[in-house]
Amino acid sequence: DAGVTQSPTHLIKTRGQQVTLRCSPKSGHDTVSWYQQALGQGPQFIFQYYEEEERQRGNFPDRFSGHQFPNYSSELNVNALLLGDSALYLCASSLNNSPLHFGNGTRLTVT
Amino acid sequence: DQQVKQNSPSLSVQEGRISILNCDYTNSMFDYFLWYKKYPAEGPTFLISISSIKDKNEDGRFTVFLNKSAKHLSLHIVPSQPGDSAVYFCAADDTGTYKYIFGTGTRLKVLA
């Protein structure tokens, strides 16, 4: 039973560029959440997708956007990258009110 | 404004002894709490949770205690093992918002 898978594992981008991160939820899960974990901090909620709609959004600018596909997989897009966007991006999936299952993350470095 | 706080960035414990990790929160509306463990290069893994209608939840070597009046919870690991060495995150389920609010984590090192 595959858990949450994320791709790519590492990514280096230049300021101003755009990036797309991908996530496949754990089998049987229908809800996907994205978190940003900066160095030395806990994960911070970006947004959650359910039934292909953004259900809730955290305190992140509109440069951060996402999508959920009919197979429940999801993408996180970040436009106009800033140095401060360098972080570990974690995808988590869940079903109903079950605890979040996290993937191993995508390490994004913006230079 | 940190609504979930883990004031100890690190903790070292001898193998076989008890590890106690602490977490404080500020929002009395939080009613469900979780602990996650994170190894390097891996995502956080769910460990144990507790609802605000309880004051204790136990799962094997792991016990979480909740003191609602003090807005404080703690994770006890007994006995501690070297494989428990990881970063532990406390999180509150912000009911109705579909998000968890995480603390900054405590790095536990269990010495053999």
Side-chain angles (χ1 to χ4, degrees):
Chain A
D1 180 20
V4 179
T5 58
Q6 293 187 242
S7 63
T9 54
H10 294 84
L11 204 50
I12 300 175
K13 289 287 189 178
T14 304
R15 271 180 302 177
Q17 287 188 316
Q18 178 263 344
V19 68
T20 298
L21 311 181
R22 294 177 175 82
C23 172
S24 291
K26 179 179 167 65
S27 178
H29 285 186
D30 60 2
T31 303
V32 172
S33 303
W34 286 92
Y35 284 78
Q36 180 196 66
Q37 186 181 8
L39 204 59
Q41 301 297 315
Q44 290 212 340
F45 177 76
I46 302 175
F47 41 52
Q48 184 181 88
Y49 277 84
Y50 173 69
E51 293 188 342
E52 302 179 52
E53 296 282 335
E54 182 183 288
R55 180 155 73 172
Q56 185 71 33
R57 188 178 185 88
N59 191 23
F60 279 80
D62 292 345
R63 298 186 297 108
F64 289 77
S65 63
H67 191 78
Q68 185 179 34
F69 299 94
N71 66 353
Y72 307 119
S73 67
S74 178
E75 288 181 350
L76 164 65
N77 301 291
V78 187
N79 293 324
L81 284 166
L82 304 174
L83 295 179
D85 295 331
S86 295
L88 179 68
Y89 288 84
L90 293 162
C91 173
S93 70
S94 58
L95 176 66
N96 298 325
N97 291 322
S98 65
L100 297 181
H101 286 248
F102 283 88
N104 289 336
T106 294
R107 172 72 61 187
L108 173 64
T109 302
V110 182
T111 62
Chain B
D1 181 24
Q2 198 77 16
Q3 294 190 71
V4 176
K5 301 177 185 178
Q6 293 177 257
N7 292 319
S8 299
S10 64
L11 174 68
S12 289
V13 170
Q14 208 66 37
E15 181 180 7
R17 306 295 291 267
I18 184 171
S19 295
I20 300 176
L21 295 93
N22 294 303
C23 178
D24 297 294
Y25 60 96
T26 58
N27 190 336
S28 58
M29 298 299 291
F30 290 157
D31 62 3
Y32 188 68
F33 302 90
L34 310 95
W35 284 93
Y36 279 81
K37 177 171 72 174
K38 187 179 185 301
Y39 293 118
E42 293 185 13
T45 303
F46 170 69
L47 199 54
I48 192 169
S49 62
I50 188 165
S51 164
S52 62
I53 62 173
K54 294 184 166 185
D55 54 19
K56 176 183 172 181
N57 189 25
E58 194 170 352
D59 183 2
R61 297 185 297 113
F62 302 91
T63 303
V64 56
F65 296 92
L66 175 62
N67 182 335
K68 290 185 289 294
S69 60
K71 296 193 188 70
H72 177 84
L73 62 156
S74 60
L75 174 68
H76 292 211
I77 306 173
V78 183
S80 300
Q81 299 173 353
D84 296 329
S85 297
V87 178
Y88 289 78
F89 291 98
C90 168
D93 186 349
D94 194 359
T95 308
T97 69
Y98 307 106
K99 68 181 180 184
Y100 291 176
I101 297 176
F102 284 85
T104 53
T106 296
R107 183 177 301 278
L108 173 65
K109 189 170 184 178
V110 180
L111 307 169

